[in-house]
Amino acid sequence: MFSKACEYGIKAAIFIALKSYQGERVSLKDIAAKIDSPEAFTAKILQKLAKNDIVDSIKGAAGGFEIEKHKIASIQLAKIVDAIDGDSIYIGCGLGLNKCSEDHPCPVHHKFASVREELKKMLESTNLEELALGIKSGASYLKT
């Protein structure tokens, strides 16, 4: 449902949030290793997250990526998805057809509309804080 870049972006943001709660900045290398993503691809994703004010990129010897603690709870997954994939998840065809609309629907168009609406609600009501704390408690994992 999400692009690979978006999957990596969500995982990276969660990992950075977790480390930020611990008062740590994380390097590109550490992020890529933790989320099983190629470094160059991860760097491009992190650039998008930084450009959209989701993560902070600090240069220099003590640099790395972080999220200010007070911002973590206010960053919804919808913002990350929008930064990386735009609104394609909400408007694209469920079967990937180029032309799919109310007037010319694909076979799953009407059923997929309710799935899309639930996904949008979930993305807008889920924030980085709850996801990072889930990892910290051991209730969820970023890697198998």
Side-chain angles (χ1 to χ4, degrees), residues 43-105:
K44 289 180 183 180
I45 293 164
L46 292 170
Q47 281 180 332
K48 286 184 179 183
L49 295 178
K51 181 180 174 190
N52 284 274
D53 200 30
I54 296 166
V55 302
D56 296 317
S57 174
I58 291 85
K59 298 188 187 300
F65 294 89
E66 66 181 11
I67 302 171
E68 293 177 38
K69 287 181 188 178
H70 73 276
K71 285 177 42 178
I72 296 172
S74 67
I75 300 172
Q76 279 77 29
L77 282 184
K79 184 172 183 179
I80 298 167
V81 171
D82 186 54
I84 297 171
D85 283 351
D87 64 356
S88 64
I89 196 164
Y90 306 119
I91 61 172
C93 173
L95 294 179
L97 301 178
N98 290 330
K99 292 186 178 184
C100 178
S101 65
E102 289 293 318
D103 297 332
H104 190 74

Side-chain angles (χ1 to χ4, degrees), residues 8-132:
Y8 289 144
I10 292 169
K11 289 192 272 187
I14 294 168
F15 180 62
I16 295 166
L18 177 64
K19 290 300 189 178
S20 294
Y21 270 128
Q22 298 168 350
E24 300 174 31
R25 286 188 187 133
V26 285
S27 69
L28 168 62
K29 187 174 188 157
D30 289 342
I31 296 165
K34 184 65 177 180
I35 67 171
D36 273 337
S37 173
E39 277 188 47
F41 193 38
T42 305
K44 289 180 183 180
I45 293 164
L46 292 170
Q47 281 180 332
K48 286 184 179 183
L49 295 178
K51 181 180 174 190
N52 284 274
D53 200 30
I54 296 166
V55 302
D56 296 317
S57 174
I58 291 85
K59 298 188 187 300
F65 294 89
E66 66 181 11
I67 302 171
E68 293 177 38
K69 287 181 188 178
H70 73 276
K71 285 177 42 178
I72 296 172
S74 67
I75 300 172
Q76 279 77 29
L77 282 184
K79 184 172 183 179
I80 298 167
V81 171
D82 186 54
I84 297 171
D85 283 351
D87 64 356
S88 64
I89 196 164
Y90 306 119
I91 61 172
C93 173
L95 294 179
L97 301 178
N98 290 330
K99 292 186 178 184
C100 178
S101 65
E102 289 293 318
D103 297 332
H104 190 74
C106 74
V108 299
H109 181 82
H110 299 292
K111 291 186 180 282
F112 199 67
S114 62
V115 172
R116 232 189 276 262
E117 190 55 38
E118 286 302 311
L119 176 63
K120 186 174 184 177
K121 286 179 192 174
M122 183 276 291
L123 293 173
E124 290 174 348
S125 65
T126 304
N127 66 51
L128 280 181
E129 179 179 58
E130 64 186 281
L131 299 175

